[in-house]
Amino acid sequence: MKCGFVSLVGRPNVGKSSLLNSILGMKLAITSNVSGTTRNVINGIYNDDDSQIIFVDTPGIHKPSNKLGNLMNKKAYNNTEGVDIILFLVDISKGFGKGDKFILEKIKNKNIPVFLLLNKIDLVKNKEDLLKNIAELKELYDFKEIIPISARKKDNVDLLIDCIKKELPEIPESEKIYSEEELTNVTTRFIMAEFVREKVLELTRDEIPHTVTCYVENYYNIFLVQNLYLYHLLGYDHMTEADEKVM
């Protein structure tokens, strides 16, 4: 069977976490319109009949303005080492910009196959422009693959999986890294805290700092505790009667 590690890298908000969720068919990594939503490295474990692929979701690489930004960039760079494939995601609806060129310079000399994924093709109205972009990007670097995708609509995700398998090493099934029951390297407690943070970023603006961090101390009913923590963070004393009925 084929088995290996595949790192997802790119600027903030290009769709790395959305792609991970689409591949796994479940919500694992949080997403939002806020830059820098992904702060931690999360492994998503994909299994099928003939492969096990460990996808490594990394923070968006950006120009840092504080220590948190520097730390996030360092995590992203570190996880382009020791992997079998790098998936370099670009928001093609916005073109290939200076930030993308900067990242390419950082990863192109690592002697690791690089797939260029042109994400958000569903937002590109003129498909002729897309073909022109692909032709131009082929001149920048000898990418192993250039694949237009839509992580949100799952366009070409199956094709991506097939291409990844071709580049991964063959191993005996008994040497798989994870069991089929394992879906990620992070804990349920961590995922719960991330879901709360996602809602904080979605529902608040200036009243809550972007650097907000959430912790889960104890949990019994996963959905109830998430909502209680969210209410606490938003400054409400208690849930309304209507909200309690939803629980």
Side-chain angles (χ1 to χ4, degrees), residues 92 96 116 118 127-143 146-148:
I92 198 59
F96 194 89
L116 177 61
L118 307 181
K127 300 307 178 185
E128 291 184 2
D129 288 343
L130 179 60
L131 295 174
K132 183 179 178 181
N133 283 330
I134 292 174
E136 293 174 350
L137 292 169
K138 285 181 178 178
E139 302 298 320
L140 289 180
Y141 178 69
D142 185 20
F143 295 104
I146 299 180
I147 306 176

Side-chain angles (χ1 to χ4, degrees), residues 46-213:
Y46 170 89
N47 289 287
D48 63 19
D49 292 339
D50 60 357
S51 71
Q52 180 175 90
I53 309 171
I54 299 92
F55 290 93
V56 184
D57 188 22
T58 66
I61 298 172
H62 62 290
K63 186 176 181 179
S65 59
N66 51 39
K67 290 183 179 179
L68 178 60
N70 284 319
L71 178 61
M72 290 163 61
N73 279 351
K74 184 177 180 180
K75 288 180 179 180
Y77 292 137
N78 287 346
N79 282 278
T80 60
E81 304 287 348
V83 296
D84 297 286
I85 299 172
I86 294 174
L87 302 184
F88 176 26
L89 275 79
V90 172
D91 180 353
I92 198 59
S93 69
K94 297 180 179 178
F96 194 89
K98 291 182 179 179
D100 302 306
K101 292 177 182 177
F102 176 82
I103 296 171
L104 179 58
E105 290 298 315
K106 290 285 187 179
I107 64 177
K108 69 180 186 180
N109 295 320
K110 291 185 177 293
N111 197 30
I112 296 171
V114 178
F115 288 20
L116 177 61
L117 305 186
L118 307 181
N119 193 26
K120 306 188 183 182
I121 58 172
D122 51 307
L123 302 180
V124 178
K125 295 180 180 179
N126 190 335
K127 300 307 178 185
E128 291 184 2
D129 288 343
L130 179 60
L131 295 174
K132 183 179 178 181
N133 283 330
I134 292 174
E136 293 174 350
L137 292 169
K138 285 181 178 178
E139 302 298 320
L140 289 180
Y141 178 69
D142 185 20
F143 295 104
K144 180 61 68 173
E145 300 281 355
I146 299 180
I147 306 176
I149 67 167
S150 171
R152 185 170 66 90
K153 293 190 173 183
K154 298 188 176 182
D155 292 346
N156 287 339
V157 170
D158 290 340
L159 171 64
L160 171 61
I161 295 295
D162 290 340
C163 292
I164 288 172
K165 289 181 183 180
K166 294 177 183 177
E167 299 299 321
L168 292 180
E170 189 89 31
I171 66 165
E173 187 169 356
S174 60
E175 295 181 11
K176 284 195 304 186
I177 300 170
Y178 293 98
S179 69
E180 292 188 7
E181 288 73 29
E182 293 176 280
L183 300 175
T184 183
N185 65 322
V186 297
T187 64
T188 301
R189 192 181 298 267
F190 171 86
I191 294 173
M192 288 174 59
E194 284 289 274
F195 285 173
V196 173
R197 186 167 67 87
E198 179 183 53
K199 289 303 177 184
V200 172
L201 294 176
E202 177 185 327
L203 299 175
T204 66
R205 296 296 181 267
D206 295 336
E207 65 270 30
I208 299 290
H210 174 228
T211 54
V212 62
T213 298

